[in-house]
């Protein structure tokens, strides 16, 4: 319990510093600044693997004998890479939402900040209930595995569909029925008063749509990481680090997503692998180094091919 409290307190402290100190004044986040923060978060995420090893080596977790320190470390890194890779599609959707609601660049950070707060709470609840289900009903692993394979095949064989339009989404249409919505942003405010009526600004609407889309993405990502481990702390910490790094990664990659077109096939391979792993878990358990190697290799191949293809086209 002490470890959980300290970890959550550290995350809340950084988020408070982020909004109150580092980004107190709204500004346009340039690719260089975003690249630096992306590097910082990725570095912190991998350094935390050392903390994981130390915690499980010194008996600070509730059941230290269940998972060996080296195995716990590999499970954490594997889970983090899965969550990071599945965030790529999320970045694309966020870019479309911001463009659709015409959110000024200097206020996008504020929207993503509160979006991350909501994502942390929702992911925590999903992980909590997901771990309970897997521990209580072993057959749930088959259900999660089948769902991941279905998602992978759906991605592989999907046809050219109409582009996602947030203003035609179920969330936006119903939000307008609940409360008045203004068509123009008013600084960094989520709500404004118009003739004694409190109305939501495009910033608030974008925030709600982003939150709902994150919930939908979590339906894929949480089962995927539960295929790696059912240890609540490993699942939660790897998820949180991936989410915290997502914001800076968005500002760093938003204008370069087209250059990583082949990463989608990496995601399909990863989802297929973890789906199969869940389906055969009661008959064969893949060594942790195989899972980590496969996921890292899939990402590396997707990135290399995408970059080479992009240079050829240019």
């Amino acid at each position: 319990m002490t470890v959980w409290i300290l970890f959550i307190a550290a995350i809340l402290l950084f988020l408070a510093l982020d909004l109150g100190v580092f980004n107190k004044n709204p500004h346009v986040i340039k690719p260089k600044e975003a690249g630096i923060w992306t590097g910082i978060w990725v570095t912190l995420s991998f350094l935390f693997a050392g903390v994981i090893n130390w915690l499980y080596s010194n008996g600070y977790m509730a059941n230290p004998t269940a998972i060996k320190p080296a195995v716990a470390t590999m499970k954490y890194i594997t889970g983090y890479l899965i969550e990071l890779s599945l965030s790529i599609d999320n970045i694309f959707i966020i870019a479309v939402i911001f463009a659709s609601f015409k959110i000024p660049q200097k206020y996008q950070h504020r929207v993503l900040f509160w979006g991350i707060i909501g994502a942390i709470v929702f992911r925590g609840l999903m992980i909590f209930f997901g771990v309970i289900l897997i521990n209580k009903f072993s057959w749930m692993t088959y259900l999660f595995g089948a769902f991941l394979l279905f998602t992978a095949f759906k991605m592989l064989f999907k046809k050219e569909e109409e582009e996602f339009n947030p203003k035609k989404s179920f969330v936006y249409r119903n939000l307008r029925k609940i409360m008045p919505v203004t068509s123009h942003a008013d600084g960094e405010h989520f709500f404004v008063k118009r003739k004694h009526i409190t109305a939501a600004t495009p910033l608030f609407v974008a925030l709600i749509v982003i939150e709902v889309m994150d919930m939908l993405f979590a339906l894929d990502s949480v089962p995927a990481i539960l295929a790696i481990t059912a240890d609540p702390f490993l699942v939660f910490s790897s998820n949180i680090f991936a989410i915290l790094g997502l914001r800076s990664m968005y500002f760093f990659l938003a204008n370069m997503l087209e250059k990583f077109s082949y990463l989608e096939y990496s995601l399909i391979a990863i989802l297929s692998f973890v789906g199969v792993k869940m389906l055969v878990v009661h008959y064969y358990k893949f060594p942790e180094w195989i899972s980590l190697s496969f996921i890292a290799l899939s990402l590396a191949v997707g990135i290399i091919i995408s970059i080479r293809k992009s240079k050829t086209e240019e």
Side-chain angles (χ1 to χ4, degrees):
M1 185 59 69
T2 302
V3 173
W4 278 92
I5 292 173
L6 290 174
F7 179 74
I8 294 174
I11 296 301
L12 294 177
L13 175 62
F14 180 84
L15 289 173
L17 290 172
D18 185 2
L19 193 63
V21 179
F22 301 128
N23 293 283
K24 185 177 182 179
N25 299 315
H27 65 284
V28 176
I29 297 180
K30 300 292 181 61
K32 182 179 179 180
E33 179 184 352
I36 292 173
W37 277 108
T38 299
I40 289 173
W41 274 116
V42 172
T43 302
L44 286 175
S45 301
F46 280 104
L47 288 177
F48 193 75
V51 177
I52 292 289
N53 189 281
W54 180 76
L55 289 173
Y56 282 79
S57 297
N58 293 278
Y60 285 99
M61 304 311 294
N63 191 13
T65 58
I67 305 178
K68 294 180 179 180
V71 175
T73 304
M74 282 194 287
K75 284 180 179 291
Y76 163 79
I77 295 175
T78 305
Y80 171 71
L81 289 177
I82 288 177
E83 295 303 313
L84 200 63
S85 60
L86 292 176
S87 296
I88 301 299
D89 280 348
N90 213 348
I91 290 175
F92 175 77
I93 293 297
I94 290 171
V96 172
I97 292 171
F98 281 152
S100 177
F101 293 109
K102 297 180 174 61
I103 306 299
Q105 285 188 331
K106 65 179 181 178
Y107 300 133
Q108 291 179 3
H109 177 275
R110 180 177 175 81
V111 175
L112 289 180
F113 174 86
W114 291 107
I116 283 174
I117 297 291
I120 289 174
V121 174
F122 181 73
R123 295 290 180 98
L125 291 173
M126 278 200 69
I127 291 167
F128 175 75
F129 289 109
V131 170
I132 289 177
L133 286 174
I134 284 183
N135 289 333
K136 193 172 182 63
F137 307 105
S138 59
W139 53 267
M140 286 297 295
T141 56
Y142 299 123
L143 185 62
F144 286 160
F147 176 74
L148 292 175
L149 282 177
F150 170 76
T151 303
F153 281 110
K154 188 177 178 181
M155 289 175 65
L156 182 61
F157 296 107
K158 72 176 180 180
K159 298 177 181 178
E160 290 295 328
E161 300 175 354
E162 184 181 351
E163 291 186 1
F164 172 66
N165 186 348
K167 290 188 175 180
K168 293 182 180 180
S169 66
F170 174 83
V171 179
Y172 177 70
R173 286 186 283 108
N174 283 274
L175 188 63
R176 294 194 66 180
K177 295 178 182 178
I178 299 173
M179 62 177 67
V181 177
T182 64
S183 57
H184 301 287
D186 187 354
E188 60 180 3
H189 301 294
F190 287 119
F191 297 95
V192 293
K193 282 194 174 182
R194 293 286 187 270
K195 296 180 180 180
H196 307 293
I197 296 175
T198 301
T201 66
L203 267 71
F204 181 75
V205 178
L207 172 63
I208 298 300
V209 176
I210 287 173
E211 290 284 15
V212 174
M213 294 307 299
D214 180 74
M215 292 180 188
L216 297 177
F217 278 107
L219 295 177
D220 293 338
S221 64
V222 172
I225 196 171
L226 287 175
I228 303 301
T229 177
D231 184 294
F233 187 73
L234 295 179
V235 177
F236 185 71
S237 58
S238 57
N239 247 274
I240 296 307
F241 273 107
I243 291 173
L244 291 174
L246 173 64
R247 181 179 43 187
S248 55
M249 192 178 297
Y250 162 76
F251 291 108
F252 182 61
L253 295 177
N255 297 321
M256 300 188 293
L257 288 176
E258 293 183 358
K259 293 185 178 181
F260 297 95
S261 57
Y262 282 85
L263 261 181
E264 184 175 4
Y265 294 101
S266 297
L267 304 185
I268 292 172
I270 291 171
L271 287 175
S272 300
F273 175 78
V274 294
V276 170
K277 185 176 180 180
M278 293 194 89
L279 290 176
V280 302
V281 67
H282 294 123
Y283 308 99
Y284 177 76
K285 290 188 177 181
F286 287 91
E288 295 307 321
W289 67 269
I290 290 182
S291 299
L292 179 56
S293 301
F294 181 87
I295 292 166
L297 182 62
S298 298
L299 286 174
V301 170
I303 291 172
I304 292 171
I305 293 177
S306 296
I307 293 175
R308 287 186 175 179
K309 181 70 174 178
S310 178
K311 287 183 178 180
T312 302
E313 290 176 351
E314 289 177 0

